[in-house]
Amino acid sequence: MDRISGYSQVSEIIPFDYSQPFLLFPVRHHSPVCSWQLIRVIKEYQPDVILIEGPENANDMIGVLTDERTKLPAAFYYYYKDRKKLISDEAEDYKCYYPFIYASPEYNALKTAAAMGIEARFIDLPYSEILITTAVNKGLRSNKDKHSYTDDSRLIYSKFCKKLCEKTDLRTFEEFWEKYFEIEGLRLSVQDFVQQMYTYCIITRNDETEDDLAADGTLARENHMALRIKEALKDNKKVLAVTGGFHSLGLYELLKSDNIQKEKLHKLSQKDEGCFPVAYSYEAADALSGYASGIQRPYFYDCVMNKLIHCDDPAGVYSDTVLDLLIGTVRACDKHDIPVSMADASAAQSMMSGLAALRGCHECGLYELEDAITSSFIKGEKTISSALPIDLMHKLATGDKTGHIGDINHVPPLIADFEEQCKRFRLKIKTVTPNKTEVSLFTTANGMELSGFFHRMVFLGTDFAQRTKGPDLHRRKDRSRVREEWVYKKVPATDVALIDHTADGFTIEEACRTCASRTLRHEKHCDVAAHILVDCFQMGLELSDDDKACAENILNSDGDFFSVGRGLRHFITLMELQQLYNTEFSAAENCAKRCMTRIITALPDMASVKDDHIAECAAIMYAMQKAVTDGFREYRHDYENALLSLCCKSDKDPFVYGTALGILYAFDPHRRKLAEQAMSSYLKGDRNVQIQGAEFLHGLFNAARDIIMTDDSFSRMTDTLICGLDYDDFIEILPSMKLAFSCFTPYEIQQTATAVAKLYDADSAELLTEKPINERLYSFGGKVDKEIVKLLSEEEKP
């Protein structure tokens, strides 16, 4: 507290006087009371220029944002490609949003300035410079999926805020802010409100160290903004600077001491950084569903702002807006068949008014409404289902609308390319219902191109198209189909996803290529890399030499047998389809060969594979069998030796063992004796070993069904196995035996029945057609037979 200890009041540190050549107006982003008070300041102060916190490389876009045709929510989308490695050697791409709703003070400053003919511009560092001056995992370089420039987290999560909430018996910062700033702030003069904001923000800032402020780029940004304010003071008599309240003290001290450092910004091309105005949504602006540093329930506060702009007296604005929300919630409950009577609604209105009076609030706010609905609408215990009225109120207060950019000349490049592609393929994107189209892959000139476009949109996660029929190359299903059926519809998420990928390229093809390359660079598993290559094949993208080298490096470093095996199956699929698709995909063959070598080397160690990987191990062995039989004959000798080595292992899983011997028999029928000897060993073992014989047969028959057809040896051994077990053991092996014979064709089943019938001099037709005996009845008959034999034995005794 050294910085503020010399003042009788904290607010005295920063004066706010209309006679000054410059004013610092502190705001919380998206706050209606800050916007309302700011508009009053602009009209009373009459500044020559208004300087606003925001990356200055968006100044050319201000006119688009304030255009009458633009509907909020909207945002500026910033991107930066670190090709020059100014941030790190990773040369990554960065992006963030600067969102605006009607309650945003920055938007109201721009809009009011435009109406009064006052120059307005942004004064913060360009987005790229902010990133360059920010330490790793800090600020806009933190580990978040999405970043927002309007980050109020320091004001929200400070130690000072936590103590205030405890002192005032309020549950959250949002409840504290609404009571003491939003509602109470409408009753204060401009000077009193600004001084209250100064007080809160200065004490909050006092918890931060200089190192913290430097690490997240705050000091560098404040130095740049102070420099721009100082430049404006040279040419203007009155300058109004609108910034986040957290920066007010830093800016004032820099301007007062004139300790502003000279700086030199990096020169970057438009390909490396840029800004676009984009449509945004209330859901994305909401702190609970979009960015954690935003404001909660943004549509509610937009409604408050709308009433403030169109009223002469702000008194009652919050209570009126809350009442509108209550009525909307009652109507929503009726639509969802939730029983809410007029008496319940009236009780809720009385309850929220009473709570406001009890809590010392001059008007009802969101939190009084939520507590009133909880008390009046929820009958009994509060559960997920009974709390639906609260959820409906929250959805209404959050809002579900998406904005619109009025100036079509500033459409982000990916959206422009998307619309051009849709026009080229004659796709209907302005309908409200889904459209269906059939794509002929090989018979029409643009069939493959249209399929590639749809696959690219899926790859970018746009929710634009979904394939309902056609070949599924990832799962190797329906590969012989020559047509695809797609259902498509443009939704708000389509534009959002395309905007998010603007940093990846200015065309959809370029964005997909960049995303695929980035994934390969960071991937370590062969199967995922192969999955990406299948995606590229479907999208009609040929890999670069660097990407091919990257895929091969992944194969060389991946020590997971199953990952390499899954990758091999993908690569073989690509090789098989190259001719059909008339596409050369050279990476597939090289990667497949590397997979073959890795699998052959590791296969003997799979003899004692864990239970949850047995089926997958067998699938890889089958894939290898098919590969060395068809396109990779040069690997057959090594593969057979690897199988023989597996069979010589002392500790073997019976299913894997049977699979290996079945494949060896398929390669050379003279190896039948190996399988017979193995099965004979299972029959001669103890009970546990005999039970494993069923799993051995399962693996053997799956790999070589005809082994049971050539003579009756395996029929006899199978019969011996079954007859040698008691009832409980038989029930234990029954699932494995059913699976062992499930792979046989109807003809093979008939042949097997004939062989079994010969063993018992029975009619094979009866085995196939006779109605099965009920197990319980058969068991009961056995018990009756035993009792009869026992009774007869007793009668024969003298």
Side-chain angles (χ1 to χ4, degrees):
M1 300 290 285
D2 295 341
R3 175 178 291 164
I4 60 177
S5 61
Y7 297 87
S8 59
Q9 292 186 0
V10 176
S11 58
E12 294 179 1
I13 297 177
I14 308 175
F16 189 85
D17 187 347
Y18 285 156
S19 63
Q20 296 179 23
F22 73 91
L23 291 180
L24 296 175
F25 190 91
V27 301
R28 182 195 176 189
H29 302 295
H30 313 311
S31 164
V33 69
C34 290
S35 294
W36 182 73
Q37 293 283 16
L38 176 58
I39 293 172
R40 295 175 69 187
V41 169
I42 295 173
K43 292 179 178 179
E44 294 173 10
Y45 186 55
Q46 294 287 319
D48 299 314
V49 63
I50 300 176
L51 307 179
I52 302 169
E53 178 189 346
E56 60 187 12
N57 53 322
N59 279 327
D60 293 341
M61 301 292 107
I62 290 177
V64 181
L65 182 65
T66 57
D67 191 311
E68 292 295 335
R69 296 168 296 178
T70 296
K71 305 299 180 185
L72 303 188
F76 288 145
Y77 172 84
Y78 296 92
Y79 69 90
Y80 170 61
K81 297 174 177 291
D82 191 30
R83 290 191 177 99
K84 295 183 178 181
K85 300 183 180 181
L86 300 175
I87 296 178
S88 70
D89 291 335
E90 299 295 326
E92 295 178 317
D93 297 337
Y94 300 87
K95 58 195 175 185
C96 84
Y97 287 90
Y98 187 171
F100 301 91
I101 62 176
Y102 288 106
S104 301
E106 300 87 349
Y107 172 76
N108 283 282
L110 294 170
K111 197 72 174 175
T112 305
M116 296 177 62
I118 301 173
E119 181 186 359
R121 58 179 181 266
F122 294 118
I123 58 170
D124 201 353
L125 282 169
Y127 176 55
S128 56
E129 297 292 340
I130 295 175
L131 293 170
I132 293 169
T133 59
T134 301
V136 63
N137 296 331
K138 299 291 184 180
L140 290 177
R141 290 184 61 193
S142 60
N143 294 324
K144 296 179 181 178
D145 292 335
K146 295 182 178 180
H147 289 95
S148 174
Y149 174 82
T150 54
D151 188 344
D152 282 323
S153 56
R154 278 191 163 119
L155 299 181
I156 299 172
Y157 304 113
S158 67
K159 297 177 183 177
F160 177 56
C161 170
K162 183 177 180 181
K163 292 179 181 178
L164 279 177
C165 291
E166 294 174 355
K167 203 75 172 176
T168 55
D169 292 326
L170 295 173
R171 290 162 288 190
T172 63
F173 166 79
E174 295 295 344
E175 187 175 3
F176 167 81
W177 175 268
E178 185 179 74
K179 177 179 178 180
Y180 288 105
F181 283 89
E182 292 296 337
I183 296 176
E184 187 65 28
L186 296 177
R187 299 165 56 87
L188 300 177
S189 66
V190 171
Q191 287 78 6
D192 288 342
F193 174 78
V194 170
Q195 294 298 346
Q196 182 170 298
M197 283 287 295
Y198 282 159
T199 301
Y200 180 82
C201 295
I202 290 172
I203 296 177
T204 299
R205 185 183 177 108
N206 197 68
D207 289 334
E208 302 287 340
T209 66
E210 291 294 309
D211 290 340
D212 293 333
L213 298 176
D216 70 356
T218 296
L219 296 184
R221 291 173 56 199
E222 289 175 352
N223 183 82
H224 185 78
M225 288 190 282
L227 183 63
R228 291 290 183 254
I229 295 172
K230 183 178 178 181
E231 291 172 352
L233 286 170
K234 294 179 182 179
D235 303 321
N236 301 277
K237 294 180 179 180
K238 290 184 177 181
V239 176
L240 174 63
V242 181
T243 68
F246 188 82
H247 299 296
S248 297
L249 181 60
L251 290 173
Y252 180 74
E253 290 183 335
L254 284 170
L255 291 167
K256 182 180 178 181
S257 64
D258 199 22
N259 191 27
I260 304 172
Q261 304 296 318
K262 293 182 179 181
E263 58 185 8
K264 185 177 180 180
L265 303 182
H266 298 85
K267 292 183 179 180
L268 300 171
S269 67
Q270 189 176 2
K271 291 184 177 181
D272 290 334
E273 73 168 344
C275 173
F276 299 102
V278 296
Y280 208 61
S281 69
Y282 280 116
E283 185 178 8
D286 180 52
L288 298 178
S289 58
Y291 299 104
S293 58
I295 199 167
Q296 295 180 14
R297 320 302 175 197
Y299 180 69
F300 171 81
Y301 290 110
D302 262 4
C303 293
V304 170
M305 190 66 214
N306 183 59
K307 289 183 182 293
L308 287 173
I309 291 176
H310 295 95
C311 72
D312 297 327
D313 185 357
V317 164
Y318 263 87
S319 292
D320 290 345
T321 310
V322 168
L323 182 59
D324 291 343
L325 184 55
L326 173 61
I327 294 171
T329 304
V330 173
R331 290 173 177 169
C333 288
D334 181 60
K335 290 181 180 179
H336 286 79
D337 296 326
I338 300 173
V340 176
S341 65
M342 290 302 297
D344 293 332
S346 179
Q349 182 183 9
S350 299
M351 174 68 75
M352 66 185 188
S353 298
L355 287 173
L358 183 65
R359 294 169 178 174
C361 298
H362 290 97
E363 297 186 36
C364 299
L366 270 177
Y367 298 90
E368 284 69 46
L369 173 61
E370 180 172 338
D371 292 340
I373 290 177
T374 302
S375 176
S376 304
F377 290 8
I378 299 177
K379 316 298 182 183
E381 184 181 358
K382 184 178 180 181
T383 62
I384 294 177
S385 58
S386 66
L388 187 56
I390 296 294
D391 294 336
L392 293 175
M393 186 274 284
H394 286 168
K395 289 180 180 179
L396 291 173
T398 298
D400 60 357
K401 294 181 180 179
T402 300
H404 170 72
I405 300 300
D407 190 346
I408 61 174
N409 295 317
H410 292 86
V411 176
L414 269 186
I415 294 180
D417 185 55
F418 163 75
E419 293 175 349
E420 180 63 29
Q421 297 273 16
C422 290
K423 182 180 179 181
R424 174 191 170 197
F425 294 118
R426 298 181 180 180
L427 300 178
K428 303 173 183 178
I429 58 174
K430 295 185 178 180
T431 60
V432 295
T433 57
N435 300 278
K436 184 183 294 185
T437 186
E438 190 176 84
V439 180
S440 297
L441 296 176
F442 313 115
T443 58
T444 60
N446 67 343
M448 289 296 296
E449 293 181 4
L450 178 55
S451 174
F453 171 69
F454 280 134
H455 280 291
R456 291 173 188 181
M457 296 300 290
V458 171
F459 184 72
L460 295 178
T462 61
D463 291 339
F464 172 68
Q466 180 181 7
R467 186 187 60 217
T468 54
K469 293 180 181 179
D472 186 345
L473 304 189
H474 287 113
R475 293 188 293 178
R476 297 172 292 281
K477 291 185 177 181
D478 300 325
R479 291 183 296 176
S480 60
R481 288 183 178 267
V482 297
R483 290 182 179 87
E484 291 178 335
E485 186 178 276
W486 291 85
V487 176
Y488 68 92
K489 176 189 174 185
K490 183 182 178 183
V491 295
T494 303
D495 282 354
V496 172
L498 291 173
I499 291 166
D500 277 340
H501 284 289
T502 299
D504 297 321
F506 287 173
T507 66
I508 292 174
E509 179 180 350
E510 183 183 353
C512 291
R513 197 183 302 278
T514 301
C515 289
S517 297
R518 181 170 58 243
T519 304
L520 286 174
R521 287 200 307 270
H522 293 89
E523 189 51 54
K524 297 181 179 179
H525 298 288
C526 174
D527 55 343
V528 179
H531 193 283
I532 295 297
L533 264 60
V534 173
D535 286 331
C536 292
F537 182 84
Q538 291 180 313
M539 292 187 289
L541 302 178
E542 177 62 38
L543 296 179
S544 66
D545 291 339
D546 289 341
D547 291 337
K548 293 176 183 178
C550 186
E552 292 178 1
N553 289 336
I554 294 172
L555 295 182
N556 294 333
S557 60
D558 190 358
D560 187 341
F561 174 84
F562 300 100
S563 173
V564 175
R566 289 189 292 268
L568 172 65
R569 298 169 75 183
H570 283 309
F571 296 135
I572 291 176
T573 297
L574 294 179
M575 289 181 59
E576 293 172 347
L577 296 177
Q578 283 184 98
Q579 185 175 0
L580 177 63
Y581 280 71
N582 194 26
T583 302
E584 183 179 354
F585 209 75
S586 57
E589 183 175 355
N590 292 334
C591 290
K593 288 181 177 180
R594 288 179 180 272
C595 287
M596 294 286 291
T597 302
R598 298 291 304 281
I599 291 173
I600 289 173
T601 302
L603 183 59
D605 294 330
M606 294 297 108
S608 57
V609 66
K610 294 181 179 179
D611 291 346
D612 53 345
H613 285 117
I614 290 174
E616 188 173 8
C617 180
I620 294 172
M621 293 165 70
Y622 299 145
M624 289 286 292
Q625 177 188 8
K626 187 177 186 303
V628 300
T629 302
D630 297 336
F632 296 97
R633 296 179 183 275
E634 67 270 24
Y635 290 92
R636 174 169 168 172
H637 178 71
D638 292 337
Y639 179 50
E640 290 187 44
N641 286 337
L643 290 173
L644 290 170
S645 296
L646 183 150
C647 294
C648 293
K649 295 286 184 178
S650 57
D651 184 15
K652 301 181 289 290
D653 177 85
F655 180 81
V656 174
Y657 185 25
T659 301
L661 287 176
I663 294 174
L664 287 169
Y665 168 79
F667 284 144
D668 183 0
H670 292 96
R671 294 191 175 114
R672 176 188 181 87
K673 287 294 182 182
L674 293 176
E676 291 177 351
Q677 292 171 3
M679 187 60 200
S680 177
S681 299
Y682 282 110
L683 293 176
K684 294 177 181 178
D686 58 19
R687 170 184 172 276
N688 291 330
V689 174
Q690 290 178 356
I691 290 175
Q692 290 179 356
E695 281 296 320
F696 172 81
L697 289 177
H698 181 193
L700 180 67
F701 291 166
N702 272 1
R705 300 195 308 271
D706 63 329
I707 197 170
I708 200 173
M709 307 298 172
T710 52
D711 61 38
D712 63 354
S713 59
F714 273 99
S715 297
R716 291 182 178 278
M717 285 190 285
T718 303
D719 180 69
T720 302
L721 172 66
I722 295 173
C723 294
L725 299 175
D726 59 26
Y727 179 79
D728 291 336
D729 291 339
F730 171 74
I731 293 299
E732 184 175 342
I733 71 164
L734 185 58
S736 297
M737 294 303 301
K738 285 184 175 180
L739 289 172
F741 286 92
S742 63
C743 59
F744 287 87
T745 64
Y747 174 76
E748 291 168 341
I749 292 174
Q750 185 177 9
Q751 294 296 104
T752 304
T754 301
V756 173
K758 289 182 179 180
L759 297 179
Y760 291 93
D761 295 327
D763 186 355
S764 61
E766 291 182 2
L767 291 179
L768 295 172
T769 59
E770 187 177 356
K771 185 177 180 180
I773 299 173
N774 185 285
E775 267 188 48
R776 294 180 179 274
L777 183 61
Y778 183 81
S779 177
F780 177 74
K783 292 180 180 179
V784 171
D785 285 344
K786 289 181 180 180
E787 289 295 325
I788 292 174
V789 171
K790 182 179 179 182
L791 291 173
L792 290 174
S793 299
E794 291 177 353
E795 289 179 359
E796 290 177 357
K797 292 180 180 180

